[in-house]
Amino acid sequence: MKTLFAHRGMSSLAPENTLSAFALTPKHGLNWIECDVDVLADGTVVISHDDSLDRCTDRPGSLYDLTVDDLADIDAGSWFSDDYIGEPIPTFDQFIDLVNVHKLNVNVEIKSCTAGWAHTERLLDGVVEGLTRLHKDRDLLVSSFNPLALAEFKRRCPDIAVACLFSKEALEDDWLSIMQACQADTIHVEDEGLTKEKVIEMKGQGFTVNVYTVNQLGRANQLFNWGVDGVFTDVGHTFPSRYRNG
Ligand code: G3P
Ligand code: MG
């Protein structure tokens, strides 16, 4: 069975990385979601791809200047559609509650926190703490583009599966040693420029291979025929039923 990850939730149907986008996922037969996490000034972990509010909320500014009390006044939905006016930026705790209720499996992507290592450690603290509330019957995969952050997470949580993320530019000859240093058994690679030979090489090393972000059915099919195990997609609802659970 190939895995479809709802990338930032059902992010073409609802504003990305919001509770509404995640809650839509089971309705479309997907049981894996991907989310991005970063941390506010007070240590609150939130679901957000960007470290800035500019692209996906009704105001500009940095996440790193906010505290949890600020979240009530920030609208992360009205930029997307009138149906989502007032949609908040979720906290990680709210996200975990939703995952438990909907019985979803989750890939938590730890953002490469741009505010420095001390802030990154607070992000890791919050993620580790938040994940203790995830029901034990949920599948969990933690990933990051930052191998130092991921290795530190794995040091703290050796029993949780981790995946190294590689952009096209970062996928260089040292990818295998980075994977091994992080004790990762799954690799998340960018779709653009990915070749059959590279997929075969990664599979030959025994890794689970997931590819981001794949929104064309033909490309997904090609990747699956090369041996790819899963794709991250914004349009899971358009995939044929053979990839979905109902
Ligand atoms: O985790 C897969 C994918 O989400 C990585 O890229 O930039 O969408 O977080 P990005
Ligand atoms: Mg992501």
Side-chain angles (χ1 to χ4, degrees):
M1 181 70 178
K2 304 299 185 182
T3 304
L4 290 188
F5 294 87
H7 181 240
R8 311 178 193 175
M10 297 301 294
S11 55
S12 63
L13 302 178
E16 67 176 57
N17 278 323
T18 62
L19 296 180
S20 289
F22 298 120
L24 276 178
T25 310
K27 294 180 183 150
H28 294 281
L30 279 70
N31 58 8
W32 272 94
I33 54 176
E34 184 260 4
C35 73
D36 306 291
V37 292
D38 212 326
V39 65
L40 306 183
D42 63 356
T44 303
V45 176
V46 294
I47 311 297
S48 179
H49 178 273
D50 301 1
D51 60 13
S52 142
L53 299 170
D54 303 5
R55 185 174 60 88
C56 293
T57 79
D58 61 346
R59 66 161 80 169
S62 169
L63 274 189
Y64 306 138
D65 294 333
L66 304 176
T67 66
V68 68
D69 292 339
D70 294 314
L71 295 180
D73 299 324
I74 298 173
D75 178 339
S78 61
W79 69 273
F80 185 87
S81 107
D82 289 355
D83 294 339
Y84 295 101
I85 292 171
E87 181 83 30
I89 295 173
T91 65
F92 192 49
D93 282 347
Q94 291 169 332
F95 171 80
I96 294 292
D97 288 343
L98 182 143
V99 166
N100 286 335
V101 167
H102 289 277
K103 300 191 184 311
L104 293 164
N105 303 314
V106 59
N107 171 209
V108 176
E109 183 193 334
I110 296 173
K111 278 296 158 197
S112 202
C113 184
T114 58
W117 185 250
H119 219 74
T120 301
E121 288 203 307
R122 293 175 81 190
L123 172 56
L124 293 173
D125 292 343
V127 170
V128 170
E129 172 70 24
L131 287 176
T132 63
R133 298 178 51 252
L134 183 68
H135 290 172
K136 298 295 174 239
D137 57 350
R138 301 293 89 221
D139 285 335
L140 169 65
L141 183 59
V142 172
S143 61
S144 186
F145 283 107
N146 184 330
L148 297 174
L150 194 66
E152 174 59 15
F153 176 85
K154 186 69 175 177
R155 190 187 67 76
R156 298 186 191 193
C157 300
D159 296 332
I160 295 179
V162 299
C164 293
L165 267 158
F166 292 92
S167 66
K168 178 186 170 196
E169 294 76 22
L171 191 64
E172 301 217 44
D173 291 345
D174 57 359
W175 69 269
L176 180 60
S177 66
I178 292 171
M179 289 286 291
Q180 291 169 341
C182 293
Q183 299 177 59
D185 48 24
T186 301
I187 186 164
H188 289 177
V189 285
E190 187 170 3
D191 179 35
E192 192 183 335
L194 186 63
T195 62
K196 183 176 185 178
E197 291 67 33
K198 203 72 194 171
V199 171
I200 289 170
E201 185 186 349
M202 292 166 175
K203 292 299 296 177
Q205 291 288 347
F207 296 121
T208 299
V209 180
N210 300 320
V211 180
Y212 70 92
T213 302
V214 184
N215 290 332
Q216 300 295 328
L217 295 178
R219 177 59 170 171
N221 190 48
Q222 183 180 46
L223 291 167
F224 289 143
N225 280 327
W226 291 352
V228 162
D229 299 282
V231 298
F232 297 86
T233 184
D234 304 318
V235 292
H237 58 292
T238 69
F239 277 65
S241 60
R242 62 187 271 205
Y243 299 112
R244 300 194 270 145
N245 304 311

